[in-house]
Amino acid sequence: MAKQNVSEQFVDILVRAGVKRLYGVVGDSLNPVVDAVRRNAAVDWIQVRHEETAAFAAGAEAQITGTLAACAGSCGPGNLHLINGLYDAHRSMAPVLALASHIPSSEIGLGYFQETHPELLFQECSHYNEMISNPQQMPRLLQTAIQHAIGRGGVSVVSMPGDIASRPAPEKSIEHALVTARPTVRPGDEDIEKLRRMVDEAKRVTLFCGSGTAGAHAEVMEFAERVKAPVGHALRGKEWIQYDNPYDVGMSGLLGYGAAYEATNECDLLILLGTDFPYNAFLPTDVKIVQVDVRPENLGRRSKLDLAIWGDVRETLRCLTPQVKVKTDRKFLDRMLKKHADALEGVVKAYTRKVEKHVPIHPEYVASVLDELADDDAVFTVDTGMCNVWAARYLTPNGKRRVIGSFSHGSMANALPQAIGAQFVDRNRQVVSMSGDGGFTMLMGDFLTLVQYDLPVKVVLFNNSALSMVELEMLVAGLPSFGTTNKNPDFAAVARAAGAYGVRVEKPKHLEGALKDAFKHKGPALVDVVTDPNALSIPPKISADMVTGFALSASKIVLDGGVGRMLQMARSNLRNVPRP
């Protein structure tokens, strides 16, 4: 039996850790590892056109599966391209192992061609970031990196010089059982008792939920019923907590809607469940606040806390709920439900007026039709910018759908690469990329990856020929829009030229048919929808405190618009409100 080299041993350990694909671009120092992948039937090399796509795709795969995913870049410029997608994966707590291939070990520190220092460059976007300088290191170092990525939830980076990758592997390497799943974290009895007393003493309790409520929907609903609490959510909590929720009061933050802001600010006890919600101007300063989070470093960094609970949301509520007293007073809950329904009624009327005849097409209408036609278990990947708005307002979660975006890092161009990773997980599951024309064109080369692998991703392109969120940022800062206009081609024609299905939609009456045809197509498809660049509804008074990006305004609400089927749910929830 031929002796393994370091690359072969490296790939074998990844396979033992559950990695099924390695996303990247081949080249020089990375070639020995790619060749080892070629000869290993248990793992596939996924050739993308840009390493940033590789990192985004691996991050999306990790978020879909909850298991380790991997990407790789060659030395210098190659692995540098990984950094943006790795930042996103790390901030999304997606377990990703990144291989940053390196220049020859004898040349490190001497200004060699393409020399960079990955162990410095990736420090801020990783839990673990080390270089293999000796074959004897490799098994233990890689296993340590894997444990960090899975155990802490985020990115580990291993850099390895190409000459080390080609050397013989150690004959008796130390290999141990690998951790492949994170444990649950249960708070101590003393903390549970403190929280119980605070809940029992409070008259008006509100729950505000983030992505940490994944898998805890039933526990949150049971607790909300017991203490008669309105339940709001951040954007990353939407897919986990909004569906089948009779206590729903919407979303807070810049893209917020409904009564979530009022519910969080008019209670006397606010419980933050699994959220690192960054916009502290939307959080109250004059009520008691409890935060429950599995990451202790998140506790208290957004608001002053009266109690910090280190633990999983699900385990915390399982311990807490049976111990709290049942509240019978629904006045606060019912008032918030009524406010929520009233708020949605108003914005829906604004959205529905002549929308089916409006040219250019209202993007809200596109999102609403897309929500109706997409599969019940579809995966949506969402570009940063106005696509975030339409996804937040119109996509209806149901416990089976997934919505993935760069919600914490806020990068452009994330949707198409993330769709690639999501579709590789399951070719039979519908994956829809909600792409803006700005984000799509930034990494448009990887549309060819869809064609190369015949991935049936459906790209729904919101094409308004503008960077609309940036225009909004300029507007609220009192600046004229400048440098935000895109001169775009017929993207449907581009898609067809690349070998995919492509259709352009310029009139609302053609939209539904175009989406249905694209969804029926068995391969990759692009629907280029020409949308209204002026689809921004701004409050009558703009505050000087409004700042750029996904930042805040003293008026508390910057964007307004319809909210699709959420109104129907809000009306349904009102049936539980006693009539006077």
Side-chain angles (χ1 to χ4, degrees):
M1 181 177 177
K3 187 175 181 178
Q4 277 191 321
N5 64 23
V6 170
S7 291
E8 291 167 329
Q9 192 176 62
F10 185 97
V11 172
D12 280 350
I13 293 173
L14 289 184
V15 170
R16 285 179 51 223
V19 171
K20 293 181 172 58
R21 282 161 287 274
L22 189 59
Y23 300 88
V25 178
V26 298
D28 46 73
S29 56
L30 186 58
N31 290 342
V33 175
V34 177
D35 188 62
V37 172
R38 178 183 65 83
R39 290 180 282 109
N40 192 318
V43 63
D44 292 323
W45 174 258
I46 306 301
Q47 176 188 347
V48 296
R49 303 304 176 102
H50 195 293
E51 289 90 350
E52 184 174 343
T53 295
F56 271 123
E61 178 178 323
Q63 290 180 68
I64 292 291
T65 65
T67 59
L68 186 70
C71 58
S74 59
C75 65
N79 64 57
L80 279 178
H81 288 156
L82 294 170
I83 195 164
N84 195 44
L86 293 183
Y87 259 98
D88 183 79
H90 194 57
R91 299 186 72 180
S92 301
M93 294 183 68
V96 171
L97 188 286
L99 170 60
S101 189
H102 208 348
I103 64 171
S105 58
S106 60
E107 302 298 330
I108 294 173
L110 300 175
Y112 191 73
F113 176 65
Q114 293 188 325
E115 181 175 8
T116 58
H117 293 86
E119 69 276 15
L120 300 178
L121 290 165
F122 296 102
Q123 196 65 35
E124 194 177 42
C125 63
S126 64
H127 290 305
Y128 186 84
N129 178 24
E130 296 289 348
M131 182 175 71
I132 298 169
S133 56
N134 186 296
Q136 299 291 334
Q137 273 182 292
M138 198 283 293
R140 287 181 297 158
L141 192 147
L142 179 56
Q143 288 165 175
T144 301
I146 290 169
Q147 311 291 54
H148 274 76
I150 295 172
R152 297 186 64 183
V155 170
S156 283
V157 179
V158 173
S159 53
M160 181 165 63
D163 60 311
I164 299 294
S166 298
R167 290 182 189 174
E171 290 187 11
K172 293 184 179 180
S173 63
I174 299 174
E175 293 186 5
H176 54 75
L178 291 169
V179 170
T180 57
R182 298 181 66 196
T184 56
V185 179
R186 181 198 184 280
D189 291 339
E190 184 177 345
D191 284 338
I192 292 294
E193 174 58 22
K194 289 178 182 177
L195 181 52
R196 181 201 64 77
R197 288 199 300 267
M198 293 180 70
V199 172
D200 285 348
E201 291 169 3
K203 293 182 178 180
R204 302 181 304 278
V205 180
T206 293
L207 310 182
F208 187 68
C209 303
S211 61
T213 58
H217 184 276
E219 287 76 12
V220 174
M221 296 302 108
E222 182 182 1
F223 182 70
E225 167 57 30
R226 197 169 182 90
V227 301
K228 306 301 182 287
V231 179
H233 58 267
L235 179 56
R236 290 191 66 201
K238 174 184 172 75
E239 63 178 323
W240 305 114
I241 215 69
Q242 187 197 20
Y243 69 94
D244 294 339
N245 181 356
Y247 319 101
D248 177 56
V249 291
M251 189 172 79
S252 191
L254 182 70
L255 310 184
Y257 56 81
Y261 175 76
E262 289 84 351
T264 55
N265 281 265
E266 295 180 24
C267 61
D268 52 27
L269 176 63
L270 173 62
I271 303 179
L272 306 174
L273 295 175
T275 179
D276 191 31
F277 183 70
Y279 312 123
N280 53 13
F282 287 90
L283 295 173
T285 58
D286 56 351
V287 305
K288 290 183 178 180
I289 301 179
V290 175
Q291 185 177 359
V292 180
D293 206 290
V294 73
R295 279 189 165 179
E297 65 269 26
N298 289 355
L299 296 170
R301 69 177 179 179
R302 307 302 183 192
S303 61
K304 183 179 178 181
L305 298 182
D306 295 273
L307 181 62
I309 300 289
W310 181 12
D312 296 311
V313 171
R314 186 177 182 182
E315 291 303 312
T316 300
L317 293 182
R318 281 180 170 180
C319 296
L320 175 66
T321 301
Q323 298 187 35
V324 299
K325 296 177 182 177
V326 176
K327 296 185 186 296
T328 58
D329 187 348
R330 289 182 53 103
K331 291 179 182 177
F332 177 63
L333 170 60
D334 292 342
R335 182 162 60 87
M336 291 301 113
L337 291 175
K338 181 67 165 58
K339 276 193 173 185
H340 180 59
D342 289 347
L344 299 197
E345 288 277 5
V347 296
V348 166
K349 289 175 183 176
Y351 149 68
T352 55
R353 195 175 301 121
K354 298 181 180 178
V355 68
E356 295 183 5
K357 297 181 180 179
H358 185 91
V359 177
I361 302 170
H362 275 303
E364 303 97 322
Y365 178 65
V366 181
S368 179
V369 174
L370 177 60
D371 181 55
E372 292 287 343
L373 297 180
D375 290 349
D376 285 344
D377 65 345
V379 177
F380 297 91
T381 60
V382 183
D383 260 342
T384 297
M386 295 309 296
C387 283
N388 267 201
V389 180
W390 316 137
R393 298 294 177 87
Y394 293 98
L395 295 186
T396 306
N398 57 12
K400 295 181 289 184
R401 286 178 167 181
R402 293 299 311 274
V403 181
I404 294 174
S406 188
F407 299 138
S408 294
H409 185 49
S411 172
M412 286 182 66
N414 61 285
L416 174 62
Q418 288 176 330
I420 291 171
Q423 193 72 85
F424 266 115
V425 173
D426 185 351
R427 284 179 172 269
N428 295 317
R429 188 175 185 181
Q430 187 181 73
V431 176
V432 180
S433 172
M434 292 178 64
S435 297
D437 58 291
F440 179 74
T441 53
M442 189 175 282
L443 286 175
M444 189 167 63
D446 270 294
F447 186 78
L448 300 177
T449 301
L450 302 183
V451 177
Q452 180 165 332
Y453 289 97
D454 196 29
L455 290 175
V457 170
K458 313 308 176 191
V459 178
V460 179
L461 189 57
F462 289 71
N463 180 8
N464 61 7
S465 298
L467 302 176
S468 294
M469 183 62 79
V470 180
E471 289 185 346
L472 175 61
E473 294 166 2
M474 290 178 171
L475 178 62
V476 299
L479 302 173
S481 61
F482 180 77
T484 59
T485 302
N486 297 327
K487 185 176 181 180
N488 289 329
D490 180 337
F491 288 110
V494 172
R496 292 193 295 270
Y501 179 92
V503 60
R504 185 174 174 93
V505 181
E506 297 180 349
K507 295 182 179 180
K509 65 181 180 180
H510 298 147
L511 176 64
E512 185 172 338
L515 288 174
K516 286 181 176 179
D517 289 344
F519 287 165
K520 289 177 184 176
H521 183 71
K522 294 188 180 300
L526 183 145
V527 182
D528 180 9
V529 187
V530 180
T531 59
D532 187 352
N534 298 313
L536 296 174
S537 183
I538 307 300
K541 181 178 180 181
I542 303 296
S543 166
D545 293 333
M546 293 182 181
V547 292
T548 57
F550 275 76
L552 312 168
S553 79
S555 65
K556 303 302 179 188
I557 298 175
V558 176
L559 300 168
D560 201 359
V563 286
R565 283 187 278 177
M566 285 181 272
L567 175 60
Q568 183 178 350
M569 186 177 72
R571 288 170 173 166
S572 177
N573 289 344
L574 281 181
R575 297 172 188 167
N576 299 318
V577 177
R579 302 298 179 192

